[in-house]
Amino acid sequence: MQKDLLKLLDLTPADITKILDTADQMKYNQKHSLTHHYLEGKTLAMIFEKNSTRTRVSFETGMYQLGGHALFLSGKESQIGRGEPIEDTARVLSRYCDGIMIRTYGQEEVETLAKYASIPVINGLTDFAHPCQVLADLMTIREHKSRLEGLKLCYIGDGNNMTNSLIVGGLKVGMEVSVACPEGYDPDPKVLEFAQNCGGKFTLCRDPKEAAAGADAMFTDVWASMGQEGEAQARRAVFEGVYQINSELMALTNPGCMVQHCLPAHRGEEITAEVFEAHANEIFDEAENRLHAQKAVMYLLMGEQ
Ligand code: CP
Ligand code: NVA
């Protein structure tokens, strides 16, 4: 494992498997009330420049369950919001804490933070990637299907941070990945370049029906991500009526196909209320698994094994 978790492109397939196996163990410990204070006395600084419910609560709770402590730093209320360079924030936090989790806009900000920090940095979402979410997603699919290799993962919608991380994560664990995005809303070119070198396991198309055929796990995400609020209306005009997981699309998938959503979900937009509720158990397992997957990441990066 590297010092940081910045994006799934940096991980080997073996790293991902190790995180997923450790996450299963973390979940077992938690469910059986087994003490697992692997990070006793350690502190995680959590920098949030965007909103969050799941990421904040799962990291803070996870750190507590590992015997450590997490502290919340709002971008606006800390000196970051007044322009203190990220290079200096990195070096200051490295003198107090044992790890940093950051949710922000540009991926380069997270990469710079990691370069200047002597402690592990974890990406809690950027415009480019959402690696912690996708580790939880892979954990959830493996839990429900008992395997990942050979299954087909399909994503319908905007080619955003979730799409980028799902493509890389899915392909690295040996899944087939199909994506349907409208023209002009494709995933990041670096991700497409990686995907196109994965031995024909990746397809990108415009038609959700084509992408969904034979899928084992269907994913979608909001049409306008955090930071794109001003584009919401224009995006709606492009996505509406086509880029939605609904029962007609589900009819084309494999029997027992799962539905996953990182949340928050907009019912009636990227997913119908009917499909969401029919798969609510899988979707909230996915939300729960953020806790276990991130505890695994923190233990592997910040603990002494
Ligand atoms: N899925 C996810 O990252 O949720 P939050 O924005 O609530 O953290
Ligand atoms: N693509 C979404 C994911 C939220 C968890 C966003 O960036 O807002």
Side-chain angles (χ1 to χ4, degrees), residues 2-271:
Q2 303 203 342
K3 170 179 146 299
D4 312 292
L5 173 60
L6 307 182
K7 55 188 183 300
L8 296 181
L9 279 170
D10 300 336
L11 300 187
T12 64
D15 290 334
I16 297 179
T17 303
K18 190 170 181 186
I19 294 169
L20 300 185
D21 291 347
T22 308
D24 287 346
Q25 189 62 48
M26 290 290 174
K27 189 165 184 171
Y28 181 90
N29 289 343
Q30 189 62 26
K31 298 287 178 200
H32 292 85
S33 305
L34 301 172
T35 304
H36 46 291
H37 286 174
Y38 304 133
L39 298 183
E40 199 163 352
K42 300 210 174 186
T43 302
L44 178 78
M46 307 189 298
I47 303 170
F48 281 94
E49 300 202 61
K50 287 176 175 170
N51 291 46
S52 171
T53 298
R54 279 146 288 271
T55 305
R56 179 175 175 182
V57 176
S58 55
F59 267 104
E60 188 162 336
T61 304
M63 206 47 200
Y64 177 75
Q65 290 175 1
L66 288 166
H69 178 74
L71 54 110
F72 173 77
L73 287 166
S74 121
K76 276 194 203 80
E77 286 159 27
S78 65
Q79 297 291 4
I80 298 167
R82 295 182 60 250
E84 181 164 15
I86 201 75
E87 293 87 338
D88 294 357
T89 304
R91 287 175 283 188
V92 169
L93 294 178
S94 297
R95 300 292 179 111
Y96 301 132
C97 303
D98 302 282
I100 305 171
M101 192 287 301
I102 178 165
R103 165 168 288 197
T104 189
Y105 294 86
Q107 178 71 18
E108 46 309 332
E109 200 180 332
V110 174
E111 305 271 347
T112 306
L113 182 71
K115 184 173 164 204
Y116 282 84
S118 58
I119 56 177
V121 171
I122 301 170
N123 180 350
L125 181 147
T126 59
D127 294 342
F128 173 70
H130 200 359
C132 293
Q133 178 68 55
V134 169
L135 289 168
D137 299 349
L138 296 175
M139 177 183 179
T140 312
I141 300 171
R142 196 173 78 159
E143 211 169 54
H144 280 255
K145 298 278 184 197
S146 307
R147 69 189 171 109
L148 291 169
E149 203 171 340
L151 295 179
K152 179 172 172 179
L153 183 162
C154 169
Y155 175 92
I156 305 293
D158 182 30
N160 62 17
N161 42 15
M162 277 303 299
T163 329
N164 290 335
S165 295
L166 280 168
I167 293 171
V168 176
L171 291 171
K172 285 206 178 199
V173 298
M175 299 177 87
E176 193 187 323
V177 177
S178 64
V179 170
C181 300
E183 205 175 335
Y185 296 88
D186 282 349
D188 189 274
K190 279 194 295 298
V191 168
L192 293 182
E193 193 191 325
F194 165 82
Q196 268 133 21
N197 289 318
C198 285
K201 295 268 175 130
F202 173 71
T203 50
L204 173 65
C205 63
R206 304 289 167 225
D207 180 6
K209 292 195 179 73
E210 190 185 327
D216 299 294
M218 292 290 288
F219 283 79
T220 187
D221 189 13
V222 291
W223 295 338
S225 286
M226 289 183 277
Q228 297 173 333
E229 290 77 7
E231 294 173 33
Q233 244 185 317
R235 284 172 168 265
R236 175 184 294 276
V238 173
F239 288 84
E240 196 158 43
V242 183
Y243 293 91
Q244 182 188 66
I245 299 187
N246 51 40
S247 47
E248 294 85 73
L249 209 58
M250 290 306 295
L252 304 170
T253 64
N254 271 347
C257 178
M258 296 173 67
V259 175
Q260 297 276 272
H261 194 308
C262 64
L263 303 173
H266 294 174
R267 290 165 176 77
E269 295 186 11
E270 75 277 3
I271 189 165

